[in-house]
Amino acid sequence: VQLQASGGGLVQPGGSLRLSCAASGFTSDYYAFGWFRQAPGKEREGISCISTSDSTTYYADSVKGRFTISTDSAKNAVYLQMNSLKPEDTAVYYCATSAYTCSSYFSPRPNEYDYWGQGTQVTVSS
């Protein structure tokens, strides 16, 4: 599976961005998409995931109510709509796929995700 992320950029606080991640290859081999982010000097954080079978979703408290994850009908792409962005959202954002389904109770863990996109920079600054 190959993943290509896009949509990052520079945005002012309160603004919005939509990240996209297109999957190609053996796209039947995964059961969830996840979005992670990593700020300088910090560990990679799982912020959202979605199961491809039943669209179960998870959001970290830090993004709940502001970010929305979705997939296309073919489950070959995942999106992250980010609204009301804050400076603390500044990070490199990564998409990934997992052979595990997404739990609505537990944050996605990087070691459970097998294939990763290249990352896209999101900078929130005035």
Side-chain angles (χ1 to χ4, degrees):
V1 177
Q2 294 83 41
L3 299 172
Q4 182 71 38
S6 61
L10 173 64
V11 64
Q12 292 186 341
S16 297
L17 283 174
R18 186 179 191 235
L19 305 184
S20 300
C21 177
S24 59
F26 292 101
T27 56
S28 62
D29 289 350
Y30 53 83
Y31 296 95
F33 284 105
W35 282 101
F36 298 78
R37 67 185 182 186
Q38 189 166 19
K42 295 189 177 181
E43 291 188 354
R44 191 166 295 190
E45 173 191 15
I47 58 172
S48 185
C49 62
I50 184 167
S51 288
T52 56
S53 59
D54 62 5
S55 298
T56 296
T57 59
Y58 167 87
Y59 296 97
D61 287 344
S62 58
V63 306
K64 195 174 295 182
R66 300 187 298 123
F67 291 9
T68 303
I69 191 170
S70 62
T71 61
D72 68 346
S73 58
K75 312 298 184 185
N76 290 334
V78 63
Y79 308 98
L80 188 67
Q81 178 66 43
M82 306 187 296
N83 298 329
S84 302
L85 283 161
K86 305 175 181 180
E88 51 263 44
D89 295 318
T90 295
V92 178
Y93 284 70
Y94 299 89
C95 59
T97 60
S98 175
Y100 300 94
T101 57
C102 172
S103 167
S104 58
Y105 300 104
F106 301 105
S107 64
R109 286 172 279 199
N111 62 357
E112 293 181 347
Y113 283 71
D114 306 302
Y115 298 97
W116 292 80
Q118 82 284 11
T120 184
Q121 176 71 47
V122 172
T123 302
V124 185
S125 175
S126 55

